[in-house]
Each structure stands twice: as structure tokens, then as C-alpha cells.
Amino acid sequence: TDGTVVSSEQEIAAELDPAFMVRPESLEFWQHLDTVVELKGLIEGVVAEVLQRNTVAQYEHIARRSRPVQEFVPEGVPLQEQLNILYGRAPEGKAVFDAFCRQLVCDIGLDPDLIVLRVQADDGKADDKIMRVHTAAPLKSRKRASEKARDDYENDGRQLVDIVRASIIVDNEDDLEAVVKRLNENYVANECDGVRIVRFKNRFREPMPDGGRDVNYNI
């Protein structure tokens, strides 16, 4: 109340009435906040070094322009029936999507199987996590899809857009620019080879609170 700024849980505790007990979860919150602030500082340092041009930030967000899933999933049927339809089509969709991603990477001169990141397992028992330029992913689990439809979309499975997903990972600004330019210049305004971008979220334009940046496409 006197305008004093505190920066840690210890200083907060020192300012409090001794008769007041700080709850453990409150201290945990401030510890996590300190970690987030430290992480953001590290990320911003990397960004300043790697993204010297940051031209990707020029691309504006694209709000969801259509909902292709709604074309083949009926409205008003129970969620589990909607998921039956989605997961019945998902394997075929995944094959087409993975082929598109690999071809995109090859077209700009990158090796889709090149390892760009290796994350060591914490316990030394599990296998290291390998991230390639084209990192395919398994289908979103049906359990997780059901939870997301319930919690975020009022049990409307037709709103789900990431049952089939993948990542394209690069480690330099030139390759980042090449991927984003090819996608945005070829698949935004018009459909090309049966592919069209229906939503685009650009976190290089508006970073996440912790400083994280990426681009997300719905295709």
C-alpha cells in the first residue's frame, strides 16, 4: 500500500504481519513467476541473436475462415459419434498431410529427416526426444480430443482442428523465412493442389507471455 515494490517471496514474507502465515501455494506461485521471468529473458536474448531481421513478424494473423470439418461431421449428434467420424477419416488425412509437409520442406531445399534438436531424457532411462525438420506426430489421443471438445467447445467435436498435426522445425532465420513465405504466398489467397490455409497464428508478431515464438497453421 505504500508503493514499495517487492521482487521475491522472501521479501513479501518479510513485509507481512508476523501473525499472517503465507500459504505454501502462494510461495510456489512466486517461485514459478521468477522462473518464467528468467526464462523470458533467456528467450529474448536468443531472439535478438537469431532473428536479426524478424521479417516473419510482418505476416498478419488469419482468423479461421472456414470449418472444413463441419462439411462431413453432422451437427447435433453426440460427441462420441462425431469422434467416430473424425477418427475414421484421420489416418487417411494424416498420410496426405505428412506427405504435404515433407514435400514442402524438400521444395525449399531442406532435408525433412535432418535432426535439428535432441532433448535428453531427464531420468536417463527413456529415449532422447528427437526433433527433425519434419517432425510427424501421432494422432491426438481420442481421450484428449474428447476432453478438449468438452472443455473448450461445449461438446462440439466439429470444432476440433488438430487431431492430425505435425511440426516443421528449423534452426535459423533464413529457413524460417523460406517456410513461412512459401506457405503464406501459395496457400492463403487461393487453394493450390487441393491445399488451402484456413487459419494462421503468428507468434513472431505477438509473442507468448514467456517470450516463446512460433507460427501455427490450420490447413
Side-chain angles (χ1 to χ4, degrees), residues 102-184:
R102 290 184 66 85
Q103 188 60 53
L104 171 75
V105 168
C106 291
D107 287 347
I108 61 177
L110 301 178
D111 177 0
D113 296 316
L114 179 68
I115 296 175
V116 291
L117 182 65
R118 184 188 298 269
V119 181
Q120 292 185 340
D122 293 336
D123 57 9
K125 298 178 181 179
D127 293 336
D128 293 347
K129 187 175 184 180
I130 303 298
M131 308 297 287
R132 305 179 187 275
V133 173
H134 169 233
T135 298
L139 298 178
K140 180 187 287 292
S141 73
R142 181 163 176 146
K143 178 177 182 294
R144 178 68 189 108
S146 181
E147 292 171 347
K148 188 170 184 178
R150 180 196 66 206
D151 297 339
D152 297 349
Y153 303 132
E154 299 180 345
N155 280 322
D156 186 359
R158 302 183 309 154
Q159 305 292 330
L160 294 167
V161 294
D162 61 348
I163 290 177
V164 174
R165 61 264 176 91
S167 297
I168 295 176
I169 303 172
V170 296
D171 60 3
N172 64 81
E173 189 169 20
D174 289 341
D175 291 345
L176 172 65
E177 290 174 348
V179 172
V180 174
K181 181 178 180 180
R182 186 168 188 87
L183 283 168
N184 284 60

Side-chain angles (χ1 to χ4, degrees), residues 1-215:
T1 57
D2 61 359
T4 301
V5 177
V6 294
S7 59
S8 70
E9 65 275 12
Q10 291 86 358
E11 291 172 318
I12 292 173
E15 291 291 324
L16 294 173
D17 187 316
F20 182 81
M21 178 64 69
V22 179
R23 294 182 299 175
E25 55 267 31
S26 298
L27 295 180
E28 184 179 1
F29 166 79
W30 287 105
Q31 289 169 344
H32 285 312
L33 184 59
D34 283 345
T35 301
V36 170
V37 171
E38 180 181 1
L39 176 62
K40 182 174 183 180
L42 293 173
I43 291 175
E44 294 298 341
V46 172
V47 168
E49 179 180 349
V50 176
L51 297 180
Q52 297 184 4
R53 298 184 299 273
N54 198 25
T55 57
V56 172
Q58 70 179 304
Y59 293 98
E60 296 183 0
H61 300 286
I62 300 172
R64 190 182 298 181
R65 301 183 297 183
S66 65
R67 302 178 186 272
V69 170
Q70 295 184 2
E71 297 175 5
F72 58 86
V73 179
E75 182 179 7
V77 301
L79 172 60
Q80 295 307 315
E81 291 185 26
Q82 293 179 336
L83 293 179
N84 287 341
I85 297 172
L86 289 171
Y87 279 89
R89 297 178 61 118
E92 179 182 0
K94 175 175 169 54
V96 173
F97 182 63
D98 285 343
F100 168 77
C101 291
R102 290 184 66 85
Q103 188 60 53
L104 171 75
V105 168
C106 291
D107 287 347
I108 61 177
L110 301 178
D111 177 0
D113 296 316
L114 179 68
I115 296 175
V116 291
L117 182 65
R118 184 188 298 269
V119 181
Q120 292 185 340
D122 293 336
D123 57 9
K125 298 178 181 179
D127 293 336
D128 293 347
K129 187 175 184 180
I130 303 298
M131 308 297 287
R132 305 179 187 275
V133 173
H134 169 233
T135 298
L139 298 178
K140 180 187 287 292
S141 73
R142 181 163 176 146
K143 178 177 182 294
R144 178 68 189 108
S146 181
E147 292 171 347
K148 188 170 184 178
R150 180 196 66 206
D151 297 339
D152 297 349
Y153 303 132
E154 299 180 345
N155 280 322
D156 186 359
R158 302 183 309 154
Q159 305 292 330
L160 294 167
V161 294
D162 61 348
I163 290 177
V164 174
R165 61 264 176 91
S167 297
I168 295 176
I169 303 172
V170 296
D171 60 3
N172 64 81
E173 189 169 20
D174 289 341
D175 291 345
L176 172 65
E177 290 174 348
V179 172
V180 174
K181 181 178 180 180
R182 186 168 188 87
L183 283 168
N184 284 60
E185 292 187 359
N186 288 278
Y187 303 103
V188 170
N190 301 289
E191 183 176 301
C192 179
D193 297 327
V195 175
R196 186 182 183 193
I197 292 169
V198 296
R199 185 169 68 167
F200 170 57
K201 294 168 64 176
N202 186 356
R203 294 195 180 110
F204 289 92
R205 188 179 183 90
E206 296 180 13
M208 293 182 283
D210 65 359
R213 291 160 168 83
D214 61 9
V215 291

